[in-house]
Every structure is written in structure tokens, then in C-alpha cells.
Amino acid sequence: MRRRTGIAVAVGLLLTAGGVSTGIASAHENPAAEHTSNGAAVKRGGMVFVQSNDPRRNSILAFRRAVDGKLTAAGEYPTGGRGGAQKDNPFDPLASQDSLVFDRRSNVLIAVNAGSNSVTTFRVRDGKLTHPRTVSSGGDFPVSIAVSGRTVYVLNAGGATKVTGFRLGHDGLRPIARSARKLGITNAAVPLFTDSPPQVGFSPDGRHLLVTTKSGNTIEVFAVAPDGRLSAKPVTTRSTGDVPFSFVFDRAGHLLVTEAAKSGVTSYRLRRNGTLDVITPSVESGQQVLCWIARAGKFFYGTNPGSSTISLYTVDGRGKVTLGGKDGVIAAAGGPKAVAEVAAAAAATVDDPIAEPARAPGAGPIDLAATADGALLYVQNTLAGTIEGFRVGPNGELTLVETENAGLPVFADGSGMEGLVVW
């Protein structure tokens, strides 16, 4: 007889098994409001783009976004590559943040093709994607993209893990010679999800490139030269909490990093020399497997796929993080039914010591992204095969305004959608 719990506990155990210290849309957002000559804001709609991550034929699913947050399917655009699925992943096939990004200044959408080791760019015009261009990612299993000006870096999470630089031009991406930097972690070409580094991103001023590593339990910071090349070696900071996953900067430049092992968020001050000073250590929500985080105006939201919930955080002018909501929850992803599934699975016991749950419970919230004005937040539910839209209230409360499933794949056999952009 052996007691077994549901996915919320099983994933937490897997992330730390064997002593292993085991992921926001692009920072370049498209404003959701125009301004009149007197400076008054005029709200308008926009677009939501979702990466199917189909292992046979990756594509971008487009949705028109109304002012009230409602979505309407607006086409599907093949990337010319294949999606991917990391080994033994429970609901997040790429196990990363920023696998799909939009650069407002160039009106370019960039997607990873993890299954074919490539990256695809699209021009965005009037909500349509045109001029697809696909290039090699420079490594195995690309999972995350960072953009600063015309400089782009791709995180390759498989094989000899590395970041590779590109220059963004009118005809897509061109490799930057001698830009690749290894991260010191060697995986299989298709990595185990607990071992793969989950995110690459630039500091707000573009002078540093950051990478989180789950298995190394570190935050790596490279200096970025004017020509886009990186320092030969990164400055390494050990994560305050175990399993650093995704990160985002607040408006004042403070760094917030999620920690999946105990669902914590730590804030740091990034120094010019690449060192990180802890401001607020590991603010834990009590939820399960916090990985993804995004900013919506003055608020920050994190998804907890192990408990099918969304958490709220605020950050003051000094970078101090405070948890909001009730018991670490500001909203349920997938509604009360999804949360009930998680609770039932966690409480269940089985007599067979080798039996596994038939499927992971809950909606499986992963990627999330907000409109540039912070008025709407969208969450990608991989297990439910839905995108949920929430209106952000004055105190950070979330009100569900949309649930969309048109053409969205439901996670199955290790594969599912991952990657979300809102503008």
C-alpha cells in the first residue's frame, strides 16, 4: 500500500527529485490605446496570438480582440516548422516563457519551432501575419526568445544548452557571428523538462541578457556589447528559491523571478556589473508549481498549473513584493470545476503503487499576457484547450470576460499549445 497524491503534489516532487535544484509576452508591447490631440486615451481593440506548438505542423492562431475583451478567430498561419514536447512534461511541452514574442517597434512576431530547431518571423499588419521567414535557431530545442531593439537572442534548451544571437531586419533574422554562449548544462537533444533552462530576456535598458536555469538553480547575467555580442562568461547568481523559472521587470527596473518548487517570487536589484541583490526573498503563495508571471499595469500575475489558480502580486517603489488575493489566489483558471478537479486528485489515494493518474486535473494555466494598458489579462489553459480573458480591477481583482476554444489544441500525449502574445 502506498499513498499517492494528484498532479499538484506529483509535479512538485518531480521538480526536486534526486536532489536536483530543479516559465509575459515580449517586453515590446503594442499599446492598447491611442491618444487624441488633447492627450485623452481612446481605447481600442487588438489581437491575441497563440502558438499551437503542433509537433507535425506548428502554427500561429490569430484572434481579434474587442474592447470588452471578447475574442474572434481570425486565421491560422503555419510557421514552416514543427512544435516540440520535452520529455515527461506534465502539461507544459516547452517548459518555458516567451516562446512567442511580438516586437512593437518592428511589427514582427517571432516564434520558436522546438521540434525542428528553428525560429520563424512574421510581419504583422492589420492583424494579419505575412512574410514568414524561418532560420536555424543555432542549437537544439529552442524554447524562449528575447528582443531588444534589433538584437534577438534565442535560448536553445537541448543538447549543449546555449543562447544564440541574431540581428532583426526587413527579411527576418540574420545570425550574429560568434554570438553563441554555452550555459554549462548538457541535455539530450530533446531535454527532460526538469533540466531545461526556461527563459531568456533582456534588462529594460538592453545592457544585460538574463537566463534562468532550473537544474542549475541559477540566474545567469551576460553583459551585452553595442554590437549585440555577449560577455564571454555570465555573472552567476544562485536563486534564492529552488527552481527559478520565469522573470519580468517592473517599471522601475526591479527583477521578479518565479520559483516553481515552493511557488515563490523573489525580487532583485540588477547592478551594472551583472550582480543581483535580493530585495524580497521568496514570497510564497501556498499554491502549486508557480512558473509563469506577467505584468498588467501596476499588478503582477502568476499562474499555478498544479492548483489551477492565478496569484496576484504588487511591488512598491523599492521593489518589495507583496502577495494579494485570498490564500494566494486572485482567480481560478478554468473556473471552480477545474479547481475542484485538482483538490479531488490531491486527496485521492490508490492501492496500486505503480498506478498513475489517467490525466492531469484542472485547466492547466501556463502562459499569460496583458494588454499594454493593463486593463485585460489573458491566460492560456493547456489542459482545457482554452484562452481565458479577465478584466483587471482597480485593486487587481480579476473578472472573467471571455473563454475561447476555437481551434485551440487540448494537451495530449505530452504535446499541447504554448506561447501567447496580446496587443
Side-chain angles (χ1 to χ4, degrees):
M1 297 283 288
R2 176 181 172 189
R3 179 178 176 85
R4 297 181 62 87
T5 60
I7 192 69
V9 175
V11 172
L13 291 175
L14 183 56
L15 283 166
T16 55
V20 177
S21 296
T22 60
I24 171 173
S26 170
H28 309 288
E29 299 164 321
N30 189 14
E34 293 181 337
H35 288 80
T36 63
S37 58
N38 65 3
V42 179
K43 290 188 176 181
R44 56 181 294 190
M47 299 294 298
V48 171
F49 294 109
V50 180
Q51 181 165 233
S52 74
N53 191 44
D54 189 315
R56 296 162 298 181
R57 179 179 177 269
N58 191 19
S59 64
I60 308 302
L61 302 168
F63 298 87
R64 292 200 176 276
R65 175 179 59 80
V67 173
D68 64 0
K70 298 291 185 180
L71 301 179
T72 303
E76 181 175 359
Y77 301 88
T79 66
R82 301 189 304 274
Q86 298 196 9
K87 295 176 183 176
D88 296 336
N89 80 87
F91 34 60
D92 54 334
L94 299 181
S96 68
Q97 180 161 282
D98 282 358
S99 60
L100 182 69
V101 300
F102 176 66
D103 180 59
R104 174 67 179 96
R105 284 171 288 189
S106 59
N107 280 329
V108 169
L109 189 78
I110 312 176
V112 301
N113 301 301
S116 51
N117 302 332
S118 62
V119 184
T120 300
T121 57
F122 294 92
R123 294 183 189 174
V124 183
R125 185 172 183 178
D126 297 327
K128 296 181 180 180
L129 304 184
T130 64
H131 298 82
R133 298 288 187 270
T134 301
V135 299
S136 169
S137 68
D140 293 319
F141 211 91
V143 297
S144 183
I145 303 162
V147 184
S148 179
R150 294 180 58 220
T151 303
V152 176
Y153 268 85
V154 176
L155 171 59
N156 294 284
T161 59
K162 66 180 76 171
V163 291
T164 307
F166 298 85
R167 189 68 68 187
L168 178 61
H170 294 296
D171 57 350
L173 296 173
R174 293 183 179 274
I176 298 174
R178 303 184 304 279
S179 64
R181 297 291 184 269
K182 293 184 179 180
L183 299 173
I185 299 170
T186 300
N187 296 324
V190 177
L192 182 68
F193 88 104
T194 51
D195 291 341
S196 62
Q199 186 181 353
V200 62
F202 283 98
S203 60
D205 61 8
R207 295 179 179 178
H208 296 93
L209 186 80
L210 291 77
V211 183
T212 44
T213 73
K214 297 195 290 281
S215 58
N217 209 49
T218 63
I219 305 165
E220 309 289 340
V221 181
F222 293 90
V224 182
D227 64 1
R229 292 188 180 92
L230 306 179
S231 54
K233 298 290 183 181
V235 175
T236 299
T237 298
R238 185 164 183 81
S239 176
T240 300
D242 288 339
V243 199
F245 196 101
S246 66
F247 57 87
V248 65
F249 286 88
D250 71 4
R251 290 171 172 168
H254 303 117
L255 174 67
L256 278 67
V257 180
T258 67
E259 301 149 353
K262 293 185 178 180
S263 296
V265 173
T266 293
S267 60
Y268 299 87
R269 182 176 294 102
L270 173 61
R271 299 289 187 182
R272 289 187 177 182
N273 63 2
T275 59
L276 295 173
D277 297 335
V278 173
I279 302 171
T280 311
S282 295
V283 178
E284 297 176 5
S285 66
Q287 298 302 297
Q288 295 290 333
V289 203
L290 168 68
C291 291
W292 295 265
I293 190 169
R295 179 171 64 84
K298 62 182 180 180
F299 303 111
F300 295 82
Y301 297 92
T303 51
N304 309 291
S307 46
S308 203
T309 56
I310 304 168
S311 294
L312 166 68
Y313 306 88
T314 57
V315 184
D316 69 14
R318 296 175 296 176
K320 180 182 178 181
V321 177
T322 301
L323 179 67
K326 181 180 179 181
D327 298 326
V329 176
I330 195 64
K337 181 179 178 181
V339 177
E341 283 185 12
V342 172
T349 59
V350 294
D351 292 336
D352 186 348
I354 62 172
E356 295 289 344
R359 65 178 293 275
I366 51 172
D367 277 337
L368 71 169
T371 53
D373 62 0
L376 293 166
L377 178 75
Y378 289 85
V379 176
Q380 184 178 44
N381 297 317
T382 182
L383 297 178
T386 63
I387 299 295
E388 289 184 313
F390 297 87
R391 182 182 300 110
V392 178
N395 297 312
E397 65 272 22
L398 296 178
T399 302
L400 182 67
V401 296
E402 172 67 309
T403 301
E404 179 62 62
N405 62 3
L408 298 173
V410 176
F411 181 89
D413 299 324
S415 295
M417 61 178 171
E418 191 149 356
L420 175 69
V421 161
V422 175
W423 64 276

